[in-house]
Structures are given as structure tokens and as C-alpha cells.
Amino acid sequence: MRKILFMALAMVLLAANMAMAADKELRLFIWSEYMPEDFVPNFEKETGIKVRVDYYESMEEMIAKLQAGGVSQYDIVVPSDYLLPTMVNLELLAKIDHAKVPNIKNLDDLFVNPKYDVGNTYSVAYQWGTLGMMYKKGKVPGTPPSWAVMFDEKKQVGPFVLIDSVREMLGSALVYMGKDVNTTDPADLKALADMMLTVKKSKYFQGFEVGTGARSKVVAGTAVAAIVYNGDGLRAVAEDPTSGFANPAEGAVMWVDNLCIPAKAPHPEAAHKFINYVLDAKNGAHLSNWTQYPTPNKAAKEFITPEDLANPAIYPTKEYTNKLQLLRDLGKDNRLYDELWTMIKTR
């Protein structure tokens, strides 16, 4: 009897030790250059949790990795808003336990109960922003400049780079056309295809780039304009006074990147602690002060650099906010954009 009790006690202790060990590791899968260098070390120091970070350069790459087994390898992923419904339908995400994330109360009202994830069931906002234009000063007209320097061959002023991201690229083109970025109207999509194929034939077209490649070409002077995420562009501009960044006159695609837990995350407790850490007011401000993306954390606003709060390229004016469009998951109609993108890329 004592032997049985001893073995049972040993098994309980072993299970407890394994749980404690599991709580001491976190595997993060995230965009490159998306947090300050000291952010992860500070989290490790505060929690005792060791973090391993892997990076991706596109949403398509991230989802492919999850479907290939990453769903049981990673504890945190950071998908964009329009992909959330698809990832939920594919059973790639676990529900977030709000009781383990008390700092969720710090979310700005705009990011509470969003349409793409009712009740913040699977996500909390990490950063948000726009897809705008990085450009070479003195070579691109307008304050702010127009998307026409890329999409209208009569107004192109030099080499330009487009972004290699299906919905965001086509959405930016639709904004210029004055269309809904989620349109499924055949006439709109045909006009979009015709314009993009014409753009590709331009002598100034320098290709599609993902990650930091596009901004590097502007800095180097091999391109006069490029579509980039606002934070990426602004960090580059801070180091290169010959370049500028703006949200174009016609409007822009708005995006929200979210912290999510994969369905089979090996360390869910650590994942919840990381989400709560990010949502702390000072940590959230430290994050956005470095990325130069606007924070979705209302409690962090008082700690944001005043110059950033006053910069419309980071925090758009109320008037310009009406020109921002959020991409939506289109269900079965997502294939319309996938097919259109394949045709554009291969012709």
C-alpha cells in the first residue's frame, strides 16, 4: 500500500515538475524587426521564461508553417486581422483565457470585440497601422503624395517597388481606384487586373518585395517610391533624411496584427503570460515607441513619445481615418483574389 502511495505521489510530483518546466519556455513566431532588442530579454528576466524566436516574412509563410506542424511547435503567432476567420476555420488557433490576461482591460475600444474576432475569443491586438508610401524627397510630388506615382503610367516619376502580399497589395491598388478593398464585383476585379498588368509593364516597375527589401531600395536610391508598412518606413526615414514616408492622399489599407495562441501550443501558460506582458501599459508603450506603429493599448498612450502621437503618418487624423479601409475575410470568395494574384504575378 505504501509503495502504491509513494508511486502515486511520485507521479503527481513529476507531473507538477513537468508543468513547471513547460511554463519556463515560450516559442514565438513573428514578423522580423517587430519588437525592440531588449523586449524579449526583459520578459525573460521578469518571468524566468526562456523565449525562442523564429521569424517569417509573409502571412502565407506563417500559415504554411503552422499547417505543416508548427501548430504544435509554437506558442504565439502574430497574424493580421483578415486572416483570423480562416485560421479559426482551419482549427489553427486556441481560445484565449481572458482570466489569465488581466491587462486585456487596457485595449482601446476600437480593438475590443472586433468584427474579425467577436469577443476577442482568439486574439488580442498587438500593433496596428497602415500600408503607405516611402519615397525619395524631391523626386515624388505632393504633400502627401498620390498613389498615382505607381499606378498611373502618365504620373510615374521613377523606379518603384510594390509589396508582395496578395490582399494588401491589391487593396492598395483598389484604394487608388476609389473602390472597396473587399469588392467581389467582377467589373471592379477586371479593372484591377488590367491596371496591375499595365503597371507591371512599366519601365519603372522594380518588382514585388516583402519584408525590408523595398525600403532598402528607396534608401539606396535605386527606387524613388515603395509600398511599405508605416512603422518600417518611419524607422528607415529616421536614419535616412533624404527619404520620407506618408499615407497617400487617396487613403490606405489599415491592418491590425494580433497575438494568438496556436491550437496545440506546447506552452499555453507561458503564452498567456507573454500576451499579458505585451498589454502592460509601459511595455506596450516601449513596443510602439520602437516600432513606430500606433499602439492599440489605451493605457500606453500616456507613455508614447509625444512626437509620435503628433505624427499623422503614425496616428492618422480623424479626417484621414475615414480614408482607411480594413481588409475582411471573404470566405469562399478569397479565391477570387488568389486567382487574380497568380495571374498578375505570372504574366
Side-chain angles (χ1 to χ4, degrees):
M1 186 66 178
R2 287 182 179 178
K3 186 175 182 180
I4 293 174
L5 288 173
F6 178 78
M7 290 178 64
L9 179 60
M11 291 178 67
V12 170
L13 290 173
L14 178 61
N17 287 334
M18 288 177 66
M20 289 178 64
D23 197 35
K24 295 301 180 183
E25 184 177 356
L26 177 78
R27 299 175 184 176
L28 173 62
F29 197 29
I30 192 171
W31 290 93
S32 61
E33 297 189 26
Y34 213 7
M35 58 180 64
E37 289 185 2
D38 63 351
F39 201 77
V40 163
N42 287 346
F43 171 76
E44 292 177 322
K45 183 177 180 180
E46 181 173 313
T47 64
I49 296 171
K50 184 67 177 176
V51 181
R52 188 179 76 188
V53 186
D54 289 336
Y55 302 100
Y56 51 83
E57 297 295 343
S58 72
M59 289 288 99
E60 292 77 16
E61 178 187 349
M62 181 268 293
I63 288 185
K65 185 71 176 285
L66 290 184
Q67 291 182 304
V71 72
S72 59
Q73 297 173 7
Y74 294 107
D75 302 301
I76 293 284
V77 291
V78 192
S80 293
D81 46 277
Y82 66 95
L83 285 173
L84 260 293
T86 295
M87 295 179 73
V88 171
N89 289 337
L90 291 173
E91 298 183 345
L92 295 176
L93 300 178
K95 292 183 178 181
I96 292 175
D97 185 345
H98 289 198
K100 296 178 180 178
V101 188
N103 285 334
I104 199 169
K105 69 180 185 299
N106 290 339
L107 278 178
D108 188 277
D109 291 346
L110 182 64
F111 306 97
V112 175
N113 197 34
K115 290 182 179 179
Y116 58 82
D117 180 27
V118 175
N120 296 100
T121 305
Y122 298 92
S123 69
V124 297
Y126 176 71
Q127 300 277 265
W128 71 279
T130 59
L131 275 164
M133 186 190 304
M134 186 173 171
Y135 58 91
K136 218 62 177 172
K137 292 179 179 177
K139 302 214 173 164
V140 175
T143 307
S146 166
W147 285 118
V149 298
M150 299 179 182
F151 298 130
D152 185 341
E153 58 184 341
K154 295 179 180 179
K155 296 183 179 179
Q156 292 166 355
V157 294
F160 59 88
V161 184
L162 302 182
I163 192 165
D164 195 2
S165 178
V166 185
R167 293 294 306 281
E168 292 171 324
M169 177 62 250
L170 298 180
S172 297
L174 285 165
V175 167
Y176 168 68
M177 296 168 64
K179 303 293 185 181
D180 181 349
V181 298
N182 300 294
T183 183
T184 57
D185 183 286
D188 289 345
L189 296 179
K190 183 181 185 307
L192 173 62
D194 291 343
M195 186 183 77
M196 289 299 300
L197 290 174
T198 299
V199 167
K200 276 192 67 181
K201 293 177 183 177
S202 168
K203 64 181 180 180
Y204 293 125
F205 174 62
Q206 297 292 299
F208 298 98
E209 293 275 0
V210 69
T212 59
R215 78 181 191 191
S216 298
K217 288 185 176 180
V218 176
V219 170
T222 57
V224 300
I227 299 179
V228 300
Y229 300 107
N230 55 334
D232 279 351
L234 288 162
R235 289 198 305 280
V237 166
E239 299 177 5
D240 175 32
T242 70
S243 298
F245 174 88
N247 293 314
E250 297 85 356
V253 169
M254 172 185 167
W255 52 266
V256 183
D257 281 348
N258 300 271
L259 296 170
C260 298
I261 303 174
K264 298 180 181 179
H267 313 107
E269 294 299 318
H272 282 90
K273 289 182 180 179
F274 184 78
I275 293 173
N276 197 56
Y277 181 85
V278 171
L279 290 177
D280 172 81
K282 289 185 177 180
N283 294 337
H286 178 47
L287 176 64
S288 286
N289 285 337
W290 184 87
T291 63
Q292 290 200 283
Y293 290 118
T295 180
N297 187 332
K298 63 184 177 185
K301 288 284 185 71
E302 66 175 297
F303 304 109
I304 294 293
T305 304
E307 292 79 9
D308 285 355
L309 280 176
N311 187 343
I314 304 176
Y315 293 92
T317 63
K318 288 184 178 180
E319 180 183 19
Y320 192 87
T321 299
N322 293 329
K323 297 182 179 181
L324 298 179
Q325 293 195 56
L326 197 63
L327 297 169
R328 297 196 313 268
D329 175 70
L330 299 175
K332 61 181 179 60
D333 286 333
N334 284 327
R335 65 176 179 79
L336 297 175
Y337 282 89
D338 292 337
E339 292 169 1
L340 183 59
W341 184 244
T342 299
M343 184 270 289
I344 291 169
K345 292 289 291 290
T346 55
R347 283 197 185 180

